[in-house]
Amino acid sequence: MNEDKCVFCRIAHKQVGASRVYEDEKVVAFLDIRPLNEGHTLVIPKAHYENIFDVPKELNAYLHGVTKQVAIAVKKAMAVDGITIIQQNGKAANQDIPHLHVHVIPRYAGQKMPSFSETSEADKEKLNQTATKIRKHF
Ligand code: ZN
């Protein structure tokens, strides 16, 4: 994958807009434009690594440390009952974008796990409002 063509690299380097909820020198978290539930956030390393097989161990640990903070912020901001964390590696595991990313998915008591194939693109303005809410909890 050419990093110039990788959409997550372009988001990390601010060449493409995203509804960001958290950022530091190593990672960035932003709302999924096709959310399974409102507040569905992706956490990625800024550097291009395809998946868990090629990311350095320390960076992967750091990524998951930030994922914990993101999960807490999303849970508080969206007042949800739970959070599902999904991290897919390789086509066989349904990895869609070949840049390592962790899904932080809000869940509601009694709600069936939503399907990735049934999502649709969210309204940009609504995503920005949701991101503002989540950012307050860091
Ligand atoms: Zn990338």
Side-chain angles (χ1 to χ4, degrees):
M1 165 67 62
N2 183 333
E3 291 179 29
D4 295 337
K5 289 185 179 152
C6 172
V7 66
F8 285 178
C9 282
R10 292 172 64 86
I11 286 172
H13 301 123
K14 297 195 169 136
Q15 292 158 336
V16 168
S19 303
R20 291 165 182 252
V21 303
Y22 175 87
E23 178 171 12
D24 64 26
E25 70 284 358
K26 291 180 191 157
V27 306
V28 58
F30 53 92
L31 295 182
D32 195 316
I33 57 166
R34 300 177 67 89
L36 291 176
N37 275 328
E38 186 186 352
H40 178 174
T41 302
L42 301 176
V43 192
I44 67 167
K46 285 186 171 175
H48 183 86
Y49 292 102
E50 192 166 327
N51 51 43
I52 201 165
F53 306 120
D54 67 347
V55 68
K57 192 168 138 187
E58 298 73 21
L59 181 57
N60 192 54
Y62 185 81
L63 180 73
H64 283 272
V66 172
T67 298
K68 175 183 166 68
Q69 291 175 266
V70 170
I72 291 168
V74 169
K75 186 173 187 292
K76 284 182 183 164
M78 307 315 297
V80 295
D81 303 310
I83 297 282
T84 293
I85 304 291
I86 296 179
Q87 199 274 302
Q88 299 168 125
N89 302 282
K91 275 209 168 91
N94 294 326
Q95 183 178 7
D96 46 359
I97 307 287
H99 180 131
L100 177 65
H101 56 284
V102 181
H103 292 269
V104 176
I105 304 162
R107 300 297 306 279
Y108 297 93
Q111 181 204 33
K112 202 172 141 252
M113 180 66 186
S115 166
F116 280 97
S117 61
E118 288 161 18
T119 57
S120 56
E121 208 160 303
D123 175 68
K124 190 82 197 132
E125 192 49 43
K126 178 76 184 150
L127 285 175
N128 286 337
Q129 286 169 10
T130 303
T132 301
K133 267 197 249 179
I134 296 170
R135 275 198 302 273
K136 288 179 185 152
H137 293 274
F138 280 92

